[in-house]
Amino acid sequence: MRQQPEQQAPPVQRLRIRYAKRGRLRFTSHRDFSRAFERAVARARIPVAYSSGFNPHPRISYAGAAPTGAASEAEYVELGLRETVDPAATKAALDEVMPDGLDLIDVVDTATSPKGALADLLTGSEWIIDLPTAPEDAAAAVEAFLRADEVIVSRMTKKGLREFDARSAVVRLSSAPRERGSRLELLLKHGTPTVRPDDVVTGLERVGGLKVGPEHGGLPLLTRLSQGVFDEASGTIGDPLH
């Protein structure tokens, strides 16, 4: 008779963590980050809880990760712990061992956070997109995109190649000149599948004639500024931790 696996006690505390992905670390994939984070948790001796079963794994939940190549000031992860800890002390311990460019911004106890699953609290995000495009060309592409009733784009997902409307997810989109190009400010409402800023760039190419890429001066630089609960009435993003 096969021996039953040891049953683990449920977590006694959960922490939610906001971190930034900066500089060259924007090229870190989600898988690479999860490995680095789990190593940091072990090195900092954080008492993480484990799941039950024959292959127990640490109770670490990731939500709303930015695409590889994008910088972000608003990435989130949740930790289930087997012992109660001080969030500030945990942040300091993890800060000591995290790679440069993966920087902790906030650590809070879920008891003091908004109710609900972390993924359910990430329903919108704000981005900036830096382009090597002339300001007048970027402005014309944005105007054409916003004028369209729908902008169908395609992207390879875990379920294969999917087509979806990028226009319906865009709450706000504007452009402004910057040194050696243009900057777009973008507010996205998350859905299924989630529209990403690179999908919006694809849409701008498709309906607005935007030209980006190595042959046109360089690739777009994507940076997420915030992520949280999208409020339809005010058109703002709320903080999912406080």
Side-chain angles (χ1 to χ4, degrees):
M1 184 175 178
R2 190 177 185 183
Q3 185 177 2
Q4 292 299 308
E6 180 182 356
Q7 296 300 301
Q8 303 291 329
V12 300
Q13 183 186 29
R14 293 183 186 274
L15 298 180
R16 284 180 181 163
I17 298 171
R18 176 180 177 180
Y19 69 94
K21 194 168 63 164
R22 296 168 173 154
R24 290 184 299 172
L25 270 295
R26 70 179 186 272
F27 296 110
T28 303
S29 69
H30 174 63
R31 180 174 294 182
D32 290 338
F33 168 76
S34 62
R35 290 191 187 122
F37 185 72
E38 288 175 25
R39 284 197 297 268
V41 166
R43 291 177 62 194
R45 300 184 182 276
I46 307 300
V48 66
Y50 280 79
S51 63
S52 299
F54 288 104
N55 296 295
H57 58 271
R59 291 190 179 273
I60 302 175
S61 302
Y62 306 92
T68 303
S72 178
E73 295 295 313
E75 301 295 284
Y76 292 96
V77 60
E78 184 171 292
L79 272 178
L81 303 177
R82 65 179 186 272
E83 299 173 14
T84 301
V85 300
D86 174 58
T90 300
K91 178 180 181 299
L94 284 171
D95 266 332
E96 289 289 325
V97 294
M98 288 286 282
D100 290 340
L102 294 175
D103 304 317
L104 299 190
I105 296 173
D106 204 359
V107 178
V108 302
D109 191 316
T110 56
T112 64
S113 292
K115 302 301 180 186
L118 180 57
D120 294 338
L121 298 173
L122 305 179
T123 56
S125 55
E126 294 178 289
W127 297 80
I128 55 173
I129 305 173
D130 287 329
L131 302 168
T133 309
E136 58 272 19
D137 294 337
V142 166
E143 184 179 353
F145 183 96
L146 294 177
R147 231 179 13 243
D149 292 327
E150 66 174 16
V151 179
I152 302 300
V153 300
S154 60
R155 172 166 36 93
M156 187 62 69
T157 71
K158 292 179 181 178
K159 297 181 179 180
L161 188 67
R162 294 191 64 176
E163 286 193 342
F164 48 92
D165 178 18
R167 175 66 185 89
S168 61
V170 175
V171 180
R172 288 197 299 272
L173 176 62
S174 63
S175 68
R178 74 175 184 99
E179 187 177 358
R180 294 195 299 273
S182 304
R183 168 166 289 183
L184 308 185
E185 295 186 359
L186 171 67
L187 193 154
L188 287 173
K189 179 170 58 175
H190 297 172
T192 304
T194 298
V195 172
R196 308 188 318 198
D198 47 324
D199 299 321
V200 174
V201 172
T202 299
L204 289 165
E205 292 179 275
R206 183 156 298 175
V207 302
L210 186 74
K211 298 185 185 301
V212 294
E215 67 276 22
H216 298 294
L219 295 171
L221 293 178
L222 314 176
T223 304
R224 175 151 53 197
L225 301 180
S226 69
Q227 182 177 200
V229 180
F230 172 63
D231 186 292
E232 292 271 3
S234 64
T236 58
I237 305 294
D239 186 340
L241 300 190
H242 298 283

mmCIF file of all heavy atoms in Angstrom, residues 76 83 96 116 126 132 164 179 202 205 211 216 236:
data_model
loop_
_atom_site.group_PDB
_atom_site.id
_atom_site.type_symbol
_atom_site.label_atom_id
_atom_site.label_comp_id
_atom_site.label_asym_id
_atom_site.label_seq_id
_atom_site.Cartn_x
_atom_site.Cartn_y
_atom_site.Cartn_z
ATOM 1 N N TYR A 76 3.342 41.973 -8.557
ATOM 2 C CA TYR A 76 2.810 41.506 -7.273
ATOM 3 C C TYR A 76 2.999 40.007 -7.087
ATOM 4 O O TYR A 76 2.915 39.223 -8.039
ATOM 5 C CB TYR A 76 1.315 41.836 -7.174
ATOM 6 C CG TYR A 76 1.053 43.318 -7.069
ATOM 7 C CD1 TYR A 76 0.754 44.069 -8.198
ATOM 8 C CD2 TYR A 76 1.147 43.980 -5.846
ATOM 9 C CE1 TYR A 76 0.545 45.437 -8.123
ATOM 10 C CE2 TYR A 76 0.941 45.342 -5.762
ATOM 11 C CZ TYR A 76 0.642 46.064 -6.899
ATOM 12 O OH TYR A 76 0.445 47.424 -6.819
ATOM 13 N N GLU A 83 4.702 30.665 9.871
ATOM 14 C CA GLU A 83 4.872 31.410 11.120
ATOM 15 C C GLU A 83 4.520 32.867 10.849
ATOM 16 O O GLU A 83 4.666 33.359 9.733
ATOM 17 C CB GLU A 83 6.324 31.334 11.623
ATOM 18 C CG GLU A 83 6.815 29.944 11.945
ATOM 19 C CD GLU A 83 8.308 29.938 12.277
ATOM 20 O OE1 GLU A 83 8.864 31.046 12.509
ATOM 21 O OE2 GLU A 83 8.902 28.854 12.267
ATOM 22 N N GLU A 96 17.931 42.384 1.115
ATOM 23 C CA GLU A 96 19.356 42.074 1.223
ATOM 24 C C GLU A 96 19.806 41.047 0.182
ATOM 25 O O GLU A 96 20.980 41.024 -0.204
ATOM 26 C CB GLU A 96 19.673 41.546 2.633
ATOM 27 C CG GLU A 96 19.606 42.595 3.726
ATOM 28 C CD GLU A 96 20.774 43.570 3.631
ATOM 29 O OE1 GLU A 96 21.873 43.125 3.260
ATOM 30 O OE2 GLU A 96 20.570 44.762 3.923
ATOM 31 N N GLY A 116 -10.299 39.746 -1.061
ATOM 32 C CA GLY A 116 -10.357 39.103 -2.363
ATOM 33 C C GLY A 116 -9.022 38.547 -2.787
ATOM 34 O O GLY A 116 -7.968 38.909 -2.256
ATOM 35 N N GLU A 126 -1.631 51.022 -15.721
ATOM 36 C CA GLU A 126 -1.172 52.221 -16.424
ATOM 37 C C GLU A 126 0.242 51.988 -16.939
ATOM 38 O O GLU A 126 1.084 51.437 -16.220
ATOM 39 C CB GLU A 126 -1.174 53.421 -15.480
ATOM 40 C CG GLU A 126 -2.551 53.851 -15.020
ATOM 41 C CD GLU A 126 -2.472 55.012 -14.037
ATOM 42 O OE1 GLU A 126 -2.024 54.770 -12.903
ATOM 43 O OE2 GLU A 126 -2.852 56.137 -14.410
ATOM 44 N N PRO A 132 10.671 55.573 -30.760
ATOM 45 C CA PRO A 132 11.606 56.418 -31.517
ATOM 46 C C PRO A 132 10.887 57.176 -32.638
ATOM 47 O O PRO A 132 11.527 57.695 -33.540
ATOM 48 C CB PRO A 132 12.593 55.393 -32.078
ATOM 49 C CG PRO A 132 11.768 54.170 -32.287
ATOM 50 C CD PRO A 132 10.747 54.163 -31.181
ATOM 51 N N PHE A 164 -8.044 39.031 -30.948
ATOM 52 C CA PHE A 164 -8.900 39.739 -30.005
ATOM 53 C C PHE A 164 -8.860 41.228 -30.300
ATOM 54 O O PHE A 164 -7.987 41.711 -31.040
ATOM 55 C CB PHE A 164 -8.481 39.462 -28.557
ATOM 56 C CG PHE A 164 -7.009 39.616 -28.295
ATOM 57 C CD1 PHE A 164 -6.475 40.817 -27.873
ATOM 58 C CD2 PHE A 164 -6.142 38.541 -28.484
ATOM 59 C CE1 PHE A 164 -5.116 40.963 -27.642
ATOM 60 C CE2 PHE A 164 -4.780 38.671 -28.259
ATOM 61 C CZ PHE A 164 -4.269 39.892 -27.839
ATOM 62 N N GLU A 179 12.441 63.512 -25.926
ATOM 63 C CA GLU A 179 13.738 63.596 -26.597
ATOM 64 C C GLU A 179 13.935 62.380 -27.496
ATOM 65 O O GLU A 179 13.779 61.231 -27.058
ATOM 66 C CB GLU A 179 14.868 63.669 -25.557
ATOM 67 C CG GLU A 179 16.228 63.928 -26.159
ATOM 68 C CD GLU A 179 17.315 64.061 -25.096
ATOM 69 O OE1 GLU A 179 16.989 63.983 -23.890
ATOM 70 O OE2 GLU A 179 18.481 64.232 -25.485
ATOM 71 N N THR A 202 0.900 46.939 -31.664
ATOM 72 C CA THR A 202 0.535 46.217 -32.890
ATOM 73 C C THR A 202 -0.694 46.845 -33.533
ATOM 74 O O THR A 202 -0.754 47.016 -34.763
ATOM 75 C CB THR A 202 0.263 44.737 -32.577
ATOM 76 O OG1 THR A 202 1.447 44.139 -32.033
ATOM 77 C CG2 THR A 202 -0.143 43.978 -33.828
ATOM 78 N N GLU A 205 0.198 50.020 -35.275
ATOM 79 C CA GLU A 205 0.813 49.718 -36.574
ATOM 80 C C GLU A 205 -0.259 49.382 -37.602
ATOM 81 O O GLU A 205 -0.204 49.823 -38.754
ATOM 82 C CB GLU A 205 1.784 48.546 -36.432
ATOM 83 C CG GLU A 205 3.032 48.832 -35.608
ATOM 84 C CD GLU A 205 3.916 47.615 -35.505
ATOM 85 O OE1 GLU A 205 3.687 46.782 -34.612
ATOM 86 O OE2 GLU A 205 4.843 47.497 -36.331
ATOM 87 N N LYS A 211 5.196 53.012 -37.416
ATOM 88 C CA LYS A 211 6.326 52.185 -37.846
ATOM 89 C C LYS A 211 7.322 52.088 -36.692
ATOM 90 O O LYS A 211 7.867 53.096 -36.248
ATOM 91 C CB LYS A 211 6.995 52.782 -39.086
ATOM 92 C CG LYS A 211 6.070 52.857 -40.302
ATOM 93 C CD LYS A 211 6.799 53.324 -41.529
ATOM 94 C CE LYS A 211 5.833 53.509 -42.702
ATOM 95 N NZ LYS A 211 5.114 52.272 -43.040
ATOM 96 N N HIS A 216 13.292 51.005 -38.025
ATOM 97 C CA HIS A 216 12.647 52.316 -37.888
ATOM 98 C C HIS A 216 13.131 53.051 -36.639
ATOM 99 O O HIS A 216 12.396 53.833 -36.060
ATOM 100 C CB HIS A 216 11.135 52.154 -37.854
ATOM 101 C CG HIS A 216 10.547 51.556 -39.085
ATOM 102 N ND1 HIS A 216 10.559 52.191 -40.306
ATOM 103 C CD2 HIS A 216 9.960 50.350 -39.301
ATOM 104 C CE1 HIS A 216 9.991 51.417 -41.223
ATOM 105 N NE2 HIS A 216 9.617 50.294 -40.641
ATOM 106 N N THR A 236 -9.732 55.438 -12.693
ATOM 107 C CA THR A 236 -8.447 55.397 -11.994
ATOM 108 C C THR A 236 -8.126 53.971 -11.549
ATOM 109 O O THR A 236 -8.997 53.095 -11.521
ATOM 110 C CB THR A 236 -8.464 56.314 -10.760
ATOM 111 O OG1 THR A 236 -9.521 55.908 -9.875
ATOM 112 C CG2 THR A 236 -8.692 57.779 -11.164
#
